Amino acid sequence: MDSLTDWEETKTILQDLEELYQQNQDAERVGECIQLRDSITATYSEATDSVQDLIRNFSKEVDVLKQKAEELAGQPSSNPEIEELKSKIKQCEERYTEQQHHEKDIEAEVEALEKKMESLQLEQEELEKKAAASVPLMQHLLSLYANITKIKWDFSSKFVAGVVSDAEGKGVVRQFDYSLENHTSFELANNIWDVISLP
């Protein structure tokens, strides 16, 4: 194999690794979906309780005012207390109607959020299926990469370090240790391929 072919194979392997790392971003999106679902559920519960309490209070207030109006029905219609009571009844009925509309708006919003949550859950399931399917492929690619290059990486080193064994795997042929500060990633890749390619 010439170094150009080796370099093309290396680029392909690195692209596959990059795709794997991008799939981890999918996991972050799944987490965001779960947080959104929890937020929607909490907001819906709070909004429903709040609106129902307001409607109950308005309904009680309207009943009390109607009862007062009935008590005052026998009095002359020019009585200012009756006019004030009628005005309060009208205001309460308007607020009651407004709250009923508000509750319907909240229900529509919650319904839309629930549909979005279902969509996100389906998307989450799809992402999980893709991730589960890609793991064996990536394991195979990494195993293939290790077998082709015969590199055993030294992850304990603060440098790019490891050893390259011979083709039969009988022993260590060459060690390498490159500083990240003194080399570009391109130079590192070329140097490692040079070490692998040595007879």
Side-chain angles (χ1 to χ4, degrees):
M1 289 188 160
D2 63 1
S3 61
L4 183 60
T5 305
D6 292 343
W7 175 241
E8 291 302 318
E9 288 178 7
T10 301
K11 286 194 324 191
T12 303
I13 291 169
L14 291 174
Q15 287 171 348
D16 291 338
L17 285 171
E18 184 179 348
E19 288 175 16
L20 175 66
Y21 289 125
Q22 288 174 347
Q23 290 173 1
N24 287 339
Q25 293 170 348
D26 293 339
E28 292 171 9
R29 191 159 182 207
V30 167
E32 290 171 5
C33 292
I34 292 170
Q35 288 176 345
L36 178 62
R37 180 194 63 205
D38 295 343
S39 173
I40 290 169
T41 304
T43 302
Y44 174 72
S45 179
E46 289 172 14
T48 302
D49 293 345
S50 173
V51 170
Q52 288 174 351
D53 288 343
L54 283 171
I55 290 174
R56 276 194 291 273
N57 290 339
F58 286 141
S59 181
K60 287 177 186 176
E61 196 173 333
V62 167
D63 291 342
V64 168
L65 291 173
K66 282 184 178 179
Q67 186 179 0
K68 278 188 179 181
E70 288 173 5
E71 290 171 4
L72 296 173
Q75 297 182 9
S77 61
S78 61
N79 186 335
E81 197 175 339
I82 291 176
E83 295 303 319
E84 183 184 344
L85 199 53
K86 286 180 181 178
S87 173
K88 285 184 179 180
I89 289 173
K90 185 177 179 182
Q91 289 174 0
C92 283
E93 286 175 342
E94 288 172 357
R95 286 170 47 199
Y96 178 77
T97 303
E98 183 182 318
Q99 286 302 319
Q100 284 182 321
H101 289 309
H102 182 65
E103 182 179 20
K104 288 178 184 175
D105 291 344
I106 288 176
E107 287 175 358
E109 185 180 344
V110 166
E111 197 173 304
L113 289 171
E114 285 175 343
K115 286 180 182 177
K116 184 174 182 179
M117 185 173 68
E118 288 173 13
S119 169
L120 291 172
Q121 285 175 333
L122 290 174
E123 187 176 341
Q124 173 187 350
E125 291 171 8
E126 191 63 33
L127 290 173
E128 288 172 352
K129 287 178 186 175
K130 285 181 182 178
S134 66
V135 168
L137 174 64
M138 192 50 63
Q139 287 175 336
H140 174 72
L141 290 173
L142 290 173
S143 173
L144 182 64
Y145 172 71
N147 284 331
I148 290 171
T149 62
K150 300 295 183 192
I151 293 176
K152 181 177 180 189
W153 296 99
D154 181 4
F155 295 110
S156 62
S157 173
K158 60 182 178 179
F159 301 112
V160 176
V163 294
V164 178
S165 62
D166 61 0
E168 289 80 32
K170 293 180 181 174
V172 174
V173 175
R174 291 168 292 283
Q175 286 188 318
F176 59 91
D177 192 359
Y178 298 110
S179 168
L180 292 170
E181 296 171 2
N182 300 334
H183 299 87
T184 66
S185 56
F186 181 76
E187 291 172 335
L188 284 172
N190 279 337
N191 290 344
I192 292 171
W193 278 114
D194 289 343
V195 171
I196 293 170
S197 300
L198 289 174

